[in-house]
């Protein structure tokens, strides 16, 4: 066992007189506005500090520590976010040119894996929660039906199933039941649990997917825990995944110069839970329930309540569908008038994220602001035109969309394309991804058909001030890439 933590070792080394004739180029001195406190501990692989791509010492110890915390057989540090974990997991679980059954609301990194590995993609569309215009979590029955439908249709056998849980909005699947179903077909289950690095760590949280039989689980430690941006974990369990292949893909998708600052940050986040998890999470839960209870008094704004273990603690979903405002308008009010910056707006809601890192003030300020806004919506001093413009229907239509693919992603994204004014694109196949960011879930992927209705909805999103990626603007006109 290592005596000191990775962070302590880095800090200790920064105080020695070893002169670095090696990378990084800043040589651990202050540079530009970057202080020595930060750059002094930013090293690359040097003797005594182990190697992420062949860990035998302090990094291996840290990964084992993480595995123990999450109940995984083996865990890997990720320094390129969950994105590289998802790329590695899919690449390891599905052969080149294989077939993946995936939730349509997966993050774009899952689509990128399908592109890179020439995969056939089949989609599972979760139920829609109409009152909030969000997808619910997938169920085991939906997964079972999806697998049976593909078999009956004579499609090639599915090599792996990928689901996202919790979703961006916090819906949590019954992963145990889904894992049993998927394993019944003799294939592995990958769970993008990027938003659930806190799951299973305290009594009020749902169990994490390692505890529920998933073969591969990806956690963005930076999203809901106390570590730095880009730091994440990949966990593997059972015998369905070839671990040598998994390691190979981690080597491919991760930097050969991994940041020790990020790795130390994952290690510190894990240790923090080991040492103080119980008190930290208990306080977080108290503050969260305090806020939800107060916000249940809102009459116009609708806050998604707890739902047993099916709604994640920390994802505050505020529906504006009964208010006349768009999500973007509420987001801007919170930002400009209250200096509160939520995670994202969408057409029909605002999502604010809370973690153990929040202070009581954070809970109090959001509660006060939302109660005040709700009162203004009730007395008519605040109103909006989203209903009249039909934008609230847009929010639901976007989820009901059933995209038709003319070409698989891997061939469509490389095919010849042209830029056309949006209103001329109906009936054409998309040449690029179109998604709202956040959350980075593709609405349309290359090769999928664009209908007049889809295009109107995409334009509505843009007009409502949402960040639509994949739409180019020229002289006030929206342009789209379509296949030539
Ligand atoms: C559901 C989901 N999975 C994966 C990712 C990618 O995570 P990262 O930013 O850690 O690469 C995101 C990012 O927002 C996400 O929302």
């Amino acid at each position: 066992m290592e005596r000191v933590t990775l962070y302590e070792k880095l800090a200790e080394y920064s105080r020695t007189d070893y002169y670095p004739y090696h990378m990084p180029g800043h040589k651990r001195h202050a540079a530009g506005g970057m202080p020595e406190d930060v750059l002094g501990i930013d090293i690359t692989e040097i003797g005594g500090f182990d190697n992420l791509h062949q860990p035998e010492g302090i990094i291996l110890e840290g990964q084992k520590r993480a595995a123990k915390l999450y109940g995984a057989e083996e865990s890997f540090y990720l320094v390129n976010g969950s994105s590289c974990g998802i790329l590695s997991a899919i690449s390891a679980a599905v052969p080149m040119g294989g077939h993946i059954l995936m939730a349509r609301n997966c993050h774009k990194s899952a689509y990128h894996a399908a592109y890179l590995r020439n995969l056939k993609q089949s989609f599972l569309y979760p139920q829609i929660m109409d009152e909030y215009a969000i997808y619910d979590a997938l169920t085991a029955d939906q997964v079972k039906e999806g697998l049976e439908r593909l078999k009956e249709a004579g499609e090639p056998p599915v090599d792996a199933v990928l689901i996202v849980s919790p979703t961006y909005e916090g819906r949590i699947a019954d992963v145990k039941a889904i894992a049993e179903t998927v394993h019944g077909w003799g294939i592995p289950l990958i769970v993008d649990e990027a938003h659930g690095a806190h799951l299973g760590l305290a009594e009020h949280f749902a169990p994490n997917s390692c505890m529920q039989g998933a073969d591969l689980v990806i956690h963005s430690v930076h999203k809901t825990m106390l570590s730095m941006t880009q730091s994440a974990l990949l966990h593997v369990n059972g015998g369905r995944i070839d671990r040598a292949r998994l390691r190979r893909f981690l080597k491919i998708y991760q930097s050969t110069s991994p940041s020790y600052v990020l790795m130390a940050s994952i290690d510190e986040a894990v240790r923090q839970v080991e040492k103080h998890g119980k008190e930290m999470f208990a306080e977080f839960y108290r503050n969260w329930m305090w806020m939800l209870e107060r916000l249940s008094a809102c009459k116009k704004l609708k806050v998604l309540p707890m739902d047993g273990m099916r709604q994640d603690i920390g994802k505050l979903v505020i529906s504006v569908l009964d208010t006349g405002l768009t999500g973007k308008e509420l987001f801007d009010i919170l930002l400009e008038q209250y200096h509160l910056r939520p995670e994202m707006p969408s057409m029909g809601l605002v999502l604010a994220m809370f973690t153990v890192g929040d202070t009581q003030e954070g809970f109090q300020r959001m509660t006060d602001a939302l109660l005040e806004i709700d009162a203004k919506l009730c007395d008519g001093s605040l109103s909006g035109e989203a209903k009249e413009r039909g934008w609230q229907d847009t929010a639901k239509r976007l989820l009901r969309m059933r995209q038709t693919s003319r070409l698989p992603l891997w061939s469509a994204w490389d095919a010849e394309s042209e830029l056309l004014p949006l209103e001329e694109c109906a009936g054409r196949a998309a040449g690029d991804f179109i998604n709202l960011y956040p959350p980075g879930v593709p609405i349309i992927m290359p090769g999928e058909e664009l209908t007049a209705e889809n295009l109107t909805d995409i334009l509505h999103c843009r007009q409502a001030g949402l960040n639509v990626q994949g739409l180019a603007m020229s002289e006030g006109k929206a342009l789209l890439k379509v296949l030539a």
Side-chain angles (χ1 to χ4, degrees):
M1 274 299 224
E2 293 283 345
R3 270 180 312 110
V4 290
T5 67
L6 182 53
Y7 172 72
E8 285 164 351
K9 207 168 149 84
L10 292 171
E12 210 171 82
Y13 187 71
S14 74
R15 292 189 289 269
T16 65
D17 67 350
Y18 286 101
Y19 191 93
Y21 296 98
H22 56 73
M23 296 178 277
H26 55 64
K27 304 289 178 130
R28 307 201 315 270
H29 298 308
M34 294 296 286
E36 193 150 326
D37 276 355
V38 175
L39 298 185
I41 57 164
D42 179 34
I43 59 157
T44 185
E45 295 99 335
I46 52 175
F49 281 85
D50 209 3
N51 186 315
L52 177 64
H53 295 291
Q54 200 170 329
E56 291 166 349
I58 196 161
I59 294 176
L60 183 63
E61 290 299 335
Q63 293 186 155
K64 284 185 177 167
R65 189 178 281 276
K68 187 162 175 229
L69 183 71
Y70 287 102
E73 282 176 19
E74 213 177 340
S75 300
F76 300 91
Y77 282 174
L78 304 175
V79 292
N80 297 8
S82 279
S83 299
C84 80
I86 291 169
L87 288 169
S88 305
I90 295 175
S91 303
V94 185
M96 185 76 175
H99 187 183
I100 186 164
L101 177 61
M102 57 190 272
R104 180 70 205 200
N105 56 336
C106 279
H107 181 252
K108 57 184 170 178
S109 54
Y111 290 76
H112 294 164
Y115 164 73
L116 288 170
R117 304 281 301 157
N118 289 15
L119 303 188
K120 174 178 172 58
Q121 296 164 280
S122 294
F123 293 110
L124 292 164
Y125 290 83
Q127 288 282 327
I128 297 165
M129 297 174 74
D130 267 319
E131 277 176 286
Y132 299 90
I134 60 172
Y135 279 130
D136 202 345
L138 277 169
T139 64
D141 280 347
Q142 287 169 318
V143 174
K144 180 170 168 272
E145 280 160 23
L147 287 163
E148 283 170 355
R149 172 176 44 83
L150 291 167
K151 189 172 181 210
E152 278 158 24
E155 296 285 0
V158 171
D159 295 294
V161 173
L162 167 66
I163 63 165
V164 52
S165 173
T167 62
Y168 212 93
E169 295 84 7
R171 301 306 294 168
I172 297 178
D174 181 350
V175 175
K176 188 164 185 280
I178 294 178
E180 280 166 11
T181 301
V182 172
H183 293 162
W185 287 68
I187 52 176
L189 173 67
I190 308 169
V191 182
D192 172 357
E193 205 165 76
H195 287 271
H198 57 295
L199 294 190
L201 301 185
E203 60 175 325
H204 299 294
F205 297 140
N208 73 57
S209 293
C210 293
M211 299 162 165
Q212 304 214 86
D215 301 83
L216 288 159
V217 180
I218 301 101
H219 280 151
S220 281
V221 193
H222 70 92
K223 289 193 198 302
T224 61
M225 296 291 292
L226 299 176
S227 73
M228 291 174 74
T229 298
Q230 277 189 224
S231 61
L233 286 166
L234 168 68
H235 311 283
V236 59
N237 302 295
R240 292 178 193 84
I241 301 297
D242 177 339
R243 303 213 182 167
R245 258 171 78 81
L246 183 63
R247 286 193 167 80
R248 183 201 304 162
F249 284 108
L250 282 167
K251 284 190 176 75
I252 293 172
Y253 295 126
Q254 295 227 77
S255 170
T256 53
S257 309
S259 159
Y260 275 77
V261 180
L262 292 184
M263 291 191 277
S265 165
I266 302 173
D267 185 45
E268 289 300 311
V270 167
R271 286 170 190 270
Q272 189 97 0
V273 176
E274 286 172 347
K275 278 195 223 137
H276 307 294
K278 206 162 185 259
E279 312 90 80
M280 254 166 43
F281 290 122
E283 192 188 342
F284 173 46
Y285 180 71
R286 261 196 314 277
N287 284 332
W288 173 255
M289 294 311 285
W290 176 89
M291 180 174 70
L292 274 205
E293 202 183 305
R294 267 147 198 83
L295 292 180
S296 65
C298 286
K299 294 193 174 59
K300 290 281 187 182
L301 297 173
K302 197 178 289 168
V303 173
L304 188 57
M306 295 309 295
D307 177 9
M309 293 280 182
R310 295 279 156 255
Q311 177 62 31
D312 191 17
I313 295 169
K315 289 285 166 56
L316 187 69
V317 175
I318 312 144
S319 167
V320 291
L321 292 175
D322 286 343
T323 68
L325 297 178
T326 60
K328 181 67 167 62
E329 284 167 329
L330 176 61
F331 182 97
D332 288 345
I333 292 170
L334 288 166
L335 183 63
E336 286 156 22
Q337 297 179 22
Y338 297 91
H339 290 192
L340 304 176
R341 189 185 292 278
E343 165 70 13
M344 71 157 187
S346 76
M347 213 45 154
L349 61 83
V350 166
L351 171 67
M353 281 178 64
F354 291 81
T355 71
V356 280
D358 278 289
T359 58
Q360 215 171 358
E361 183 199 349
F363 288 93
Q364 180 83 55
R365 284 179 62 187
M366 180 60 82
T367 307
D368 293 347
L370 290 174
L371 289 174
E372 195 169 286
I373 293 168
D374 190 66
K376 287 185 187 167
L377 287 163
C378 288
D379 71 19
S381 56
L382 177 63
S383 61
E385 292 173 3
K387 266 189 191 158
E388 291 74 45
R389 291 180 177 219
W391 285 355
Q392 288 162 339
D393 297 330
T394 300
K396 293 175 193 168
R397 258 200 317 269
L398 283 169
L399 300 176
R400 282 199 207 103
M401 211 188 256
R402 291 292 178 270
Q403 301 82 344
T404 310
S405 182
R406 291 206 197 145
L407 266 187
L409 168 62
W410 52 268
S411 97
W413 214 6
D414 284 335
E416 215 177 302
S417 61
E418 57 183 330
L419 264 184
L420 284 187
L422 181 130
E423 54 280 6
E424 291 173 30
C425 294
R428 303 288 296 266
D432 206 346
F433 282 99
I434 304 172
N435 65 264
L436 299 178
Y437 197 86
V441 172
I443 301 171
I444 294 282
M445 68 173 181
E448 288 181 336
E449 194 175 305
L450 296 159
T451 67
E453 194 182 55
N454 300 165
L455 294 170
T456 308
D457 289 337
I458 290 162
L459 199 58
H460 282 171
C461 291
R462 165 94 202 174
Q463 287 162 348
L466 300 176
N467 180 15
V468 184
Q469 292 185 331
L471 205 61
M473 294 304 288
S474 170
E475 295 168 5
K477 266 183 144 351
L479 304 175
L480 275 184
K481 208 183 247 191
V482 292
L483 296 188

